[in-house]
Structures are given as structure tokens and as C-alpha cells.
Amino acid sequence: MSNFSKTIGFIKNQFYKKSVVQLHEPVFFGNEKKYLNDTIESTFVSSVGEYVTKFEKELSILTNTKKAVAMVNGTSALQIALKIAGVKSDDEVITQALTFVATANAVSYLNAKPIFIDVDIDTYGLSPKALEDFLLEHGDLRENGTYNKKTNRRIAACVPMHSFGFMCKIDEIVNICKNWKIPVVEDAAEALGSSFKSKSAGNFGLINSFSFNGNKIITSGGGGAITTNNLILAEKAKYLTTTAKIPHKWNYEHSEIGYNFRMPNLNAALACAQLENFNKIKKNKKSLYEEYCLFFKSVGIKLVDIPKNSEWNYWLMSVILDNKKERDMFLSETNKNQVCTRPVWELMFNLPMYKNCQKDSQTNAKFLQARTVNIPSGSTR
Ligand SMILES: *Cc1c(COP(=O)(O)O)cnc(C)c1O
């Protein structure tokens, strides 16, 4: 217990003794106000404007992808990415149960069903070994893709998620999926700025998604984006998210049921300002992580390590306690003292709407979920 109270004191000190230390607060110390003001002065606050184009360009440069398309939020971006990857009604989509609910919801919006595969202990992300085991047992590779022997449904996509910004073993996952003709869609919502063997998150799948919600590493207020190296798919994403309107100066003609998912210029302005300080934000978070390394070592609590072969964006830091009882004690002590911490999300198959989904052993997901606590990780600037 005494190492818990030391922890509370230490964390409060890192955040300048703020009365309440949040899990992850956005920081605005750049051109945010200036750019927001620009949009108001110009009246371009809504669905058309230069900041959207600028943000998309900068995001594609940052992720080293050919094209980014900005959207209203990360969930919608993932939904569109899956749709464009070919997911249809009654298809199935492989993902992990240790994720934020949006991953599974995006699958459901397309009337497809998630299948939950276990994660790796060291990355908290989809396990290539578990994926391959599942496919060897249940996969039926046909001309037009892989079918699930148990349900006879097509497995139309695989969505690995880079938990807390840690890269999963994405190269192996991409290879396995290639052999089984399953398109990969990275849920890179948490991983902007992370990379695996020097290649950026959001640059591995056919089409991938990011989130710029207020709790993410940089924010547009609310927002999301897809990234891809396929210009045809990018164009399709833009088209679908702008009501599938056939471009014309004044005519309103639409060729299919599209979506109004585009990011407003107001939000893009905020995102552009945040991107300018992205390296500083990452640097501040890195030094916080280094302080945590020294401190947690000194009190004998295990800080979760950065996985091998990857560069981390330092988004969300966590400790791993010995058991669930210790975890619950840590959660209650910290939260009682205004240091916001939280457990990992409830595993998807424990939620009522996903309880009947197919899943494998989930040994690692259960182990990690019972022991891991996310700790305050915001930029301390
Ligand atoms: C934040 C997040 C999303 C969705 O983002 P929103 O912008 O909040 O819709 C999707 N997946 C994961 C893993 C996330 O953390």
C-alpha cells in the first residue's frame, strides 16, 4: 500500500501538483487559436476549406502514405475503411477482444460479425500466432477469399489494433493475411507517430484508420481519417464520405447511398496546429515515460515496456500489477486521490452485444485485462 501512496505523490508532482490529474489531456500551445480564428474570419468553418486539404496532405506525409482522407471521427473512418476493403452484410471480420468498443462497432455498422482472436502479451495487439492457428483450424481458402468452416461466412477483413500506441506484430499479420487472401485494415486510432521497423502505423494495411478525438495524442476536437497507398480507394473514401455526390458546380446528383462523414474545416484547423507541435508533444511524453521508468523500478511496480522492433508514440502508459486484487486496489487508491487511472477496456465478448461472437482461448487478453492499469500520460507541458 505504501508504494501506492508514493505513486500518487510522484504522479501529482509530474503534473505540477494539479488538483486532478487526468488520464490524458490535450495541450494547446501553438497556433490553435490563430487557425481557428482564420476559419471564422473566412466563414469557412464547415465542410469546405483549406485546412481539411492541408491536414490530409500533412497526415499522408507523416505516415508516408499516398493519401489521407479526413473524417468526422475515428469510428466512421474505420467503418468506411472496412466498407472499401470489401466488407459486406453477413461477412465476418477478425479482430481482437482487447480493444475499444469502436473497433467492433464499426464492423457491426456494416452488418458484419466480429471474430475475436487473442493478443500477444508483449504488444497488447493481435497475435499473429493465434491468428494463424485460428485460420488453420477454421479457414477454408477458396478462389475469392477465405471462408469460416464453422459458419460458412466469408472472412472479409482482419483488423489488428495497435493498443496504447504499441505496434502489434504487423509484418507477420500482413503476411498471414496475404496467404489467406484477407485484406488488412489497421485500427491505428491510438498509434499516430508509432512505427514498426521504421514503417509508420497506418501504412501496412490496404486502408487504415486514425482518430483525433480529444483523448488521443493529437486532437481535432472530434475527428478521424483513413490512410492508404491506393489512390483509387482514397478517392472512393472521399466520395463515399461526401454523400457520393457526382462533382458538379451546381447540380446535386448522387450515385449511391453515401455518408456525410467529412471533417469540418474548423476541426481540421485545430488538427493542423496540433500537428505542428506533434514532435514536442511526443518528446514531453517520452520524458514522462522515462521518469516513470526510474520511479516504478524504485517502488517495485512493473511499468509496461515498449515492444521490440518498434518506435512508440508514448500515447498511453500503463503498469501491470500482480493480480486483479492488486489492480483493483491500485485503481481505487489512485482515483480516490484525484489521480485518474483506469483498467483496460472490458473484453468485447463480455459485452452483451458481442457475447455470442466466435472467439479463441483469449488467454493473454484475459491475463492482461485483469492486471493492467493505464496511468496519466498527457504531455506535461
Ligand atoms: C479512439 C478509438 C477509436 C475511435 O475513435 P473516435 O474518434 O472516438 O470515434 C477506434 N478504435 C480505437 C482503438 C480507439 O482507441
Side-chain angles (χ1 to χ4, degrees):
M1 208 56 141
S2 80
N3 56 7
F4 288 2
S5 54
K6 269 191 208 159
T7 302
I8 290 159
F10 181 82
I11 294 177
K12 284 201 162 162
N13 266 335
Q14 295 307 303
F15 291 89
Y16 312 107
K17 305 197 166 74
K18 265 189 205 156
S19 55
V20 180
V21 181
Q22 300 294 346
L23 194 66
H24 201 289
E25 272 177 306
V27 283
F28 305 116
F29 54 86
N31 286 319
E32 283 85 355
K33 283 184 185 165
K34 180 175 180 290
Y35 293 174
L36 285 171
N37 205 41
D38 284 348
T39 67
I40 294 167
E41 297 274 311
S42 71
T43 76
F44 284 97
V45 293
S46 191
S47 48
V48 178
E50 281 171 15
Y51 283 109
V52 176
T53 316
K54 182 169 170 350
F55 179 55
E56 289 175 341
K57 187 162 238 159
E58 283 169 7
L59 189 59
S60 81
I61 293 169
L62 182 62
T63 54
N64 200 23
T65 52
K66 290 221 174 95
K67 196 87 189 161
V69 179
M71 292 177 202
V72 276
N73 60 55
T75 314
S76 307
L78 184 56
Q79 179 188 342
I80 292 298
L82 286 166
K83 188 178 169 72
I84 288 173
V87 176
K88 298 190 173 63
S89 252
D90 289 328
D91 281 343
E92 295 182 338
V93 174
I94 290 177
T95 187
Q96 56 203 65
L98 192 154
T99 187
F100 178 53
V101 71
T103 315
N105 285 348
V107 173
S108 303
Y109 298 154
L110 297 169
N111 296 312
K113 279 218 170 335
I115 299 171
F116 299 117
I117 301 299
D118 206 3
V119 294
D120 280 321
I121 288 278
D122 54 341
T123 68
Y124 287 71
L126 192 71
S127 161
K129 169 83 172 60
L131 173 66
E132 181 139 60
D133 287 350
F134 177 88
L135 288 168
L136 287 170
E137 187 179 346
H138 297 286
D140 175 16
L141 181 60
R142 300 184 198 163
E143 196 76 16
N144 64 342
T146 289
Y147 286 72
N148 185 339
K149 284 183 203 159
K150 192 167 165 185
T151 59
N152 205 30
R153 292 198 181 106
R154 192 171 71 107
I155 300 174
C158 174
V159 185
M161 198 279 279
H162 305 300
S163 306
F164 316 141
F166 291 154
M167 294 300 291
C168 64
K169 291 165 190 149
I170 187 70
D171 57 344
E172 290 176 55
I173 291 171
V174 165
N175 276 333
I176 293 165
C177 287
K178 196 170 164 200
N179 292 336
W180 291 88
K181 298 187 200 164
I182 300 172
V184 172
V185 173
E186 291 173 79
D187 181 348
E190 306 183 351
L192 184 74
S194 294
S195 56
F196 184 88
K197 295 180 182 165
S198 302
K199 188 167 160 180
S200 298
N203 194 6
F204 288 88
L206 177 67
I207 177 165
N208 313 296
S209 63
F210 285 99
S211 165
F212 305 101
N213 193 39
N215 63 337
K216 297 301 198 291
I217 192 157
I218 60 157
T219 186
S220 58
I226 61 94
T227 52
T228 181
N229 290 311
N230 183 319
L231 293 176
I232 294 165
L233 298 187
E235 201 174 309
K236 178 108 211 240
K238 191 65 166 181
Y239 182 66
L240 269 181
T241 53
T242 53
T243 66
K245 184 179 179 294
I246 298 163
H248 191 278
K249 262 212 147 68
W250 51 79
N251 286 344
Y252 271 77
E253 231 188 294
H254 310 260
S255 62
E256 61 182 290
I257 302 173
Y259 302 80
N260 179 14
F261 280 177
R262 63 195 136 187
M263 178 185 277
N265 201 41
L266 196 69
N267 298 78
L270 192 68
C272 285
Q274 288 263 283
L275 266 186
E276 289 173 353
N277 282 322
F278 187 44
N279 283 333
K280 280 189 204 151
I281 292 170
K282 269 204 294 190
K283 206 168 135 230
N284 291 340
K285 287 162 66 65
K286 180 171 188 242
S287 44
L288 174 66
Y289 181 74
E290 285 163 356
E291 295 289 334
Y292 276 155
C293 279
L294 295 174
F295 171 77
F296 283 110
K297 202 166 191 181
S298 77
V299 290
I301 295 176
K302 201 185 166 311
L303 183 70
V304 176
D305 287 330
I306 308 170
K308 275 198 299 235
N309 295 324
S310 61
E311 289 268 311
W312 184 33
N313 65 358
Y314 298 89
W315 179 54
L316 202 53
M317 302 164 203
S318 10
V319 291
I320 182 153
L321 285 305
D322 289 340
N323 51 51
K324 189 164 184 293
K325 197 169 150 233
E326 284 280 310
R327 180 200 78 169
D328 291 343
M329 241 156 41
F330 187 91
L331 283 168
S332 89
E333 280 305 302
T334 45
N335 282 293
K336 205 163 65 191
N337 288 286
Q338 277 72 50
V339 169
C340 300
T341 60
R342 65 167 198 214
V344 176
W345 315 278
E346 187 54 65
L347 299 173
M348 291 302 112
F349 52 78
N350 286 329
L351 305 181
M353 58 286 195
Y354 296 119
K355 70 177 193 298
N356 295 324
C357 293
Q358 194 175 358
K359 62 177 190 293
D360 64 2
S361 77
Q362 301 292 321
T363 315
N364 294 341
K366 287 178 191 165
F367 179 92
L368 294 171
Q369 205 277 336
R371 290 166 179 77
T372 307
V373 177
N374 298 134
I375 57 176
S377 310
S379 170
T380 52
R381 198 207 130 112

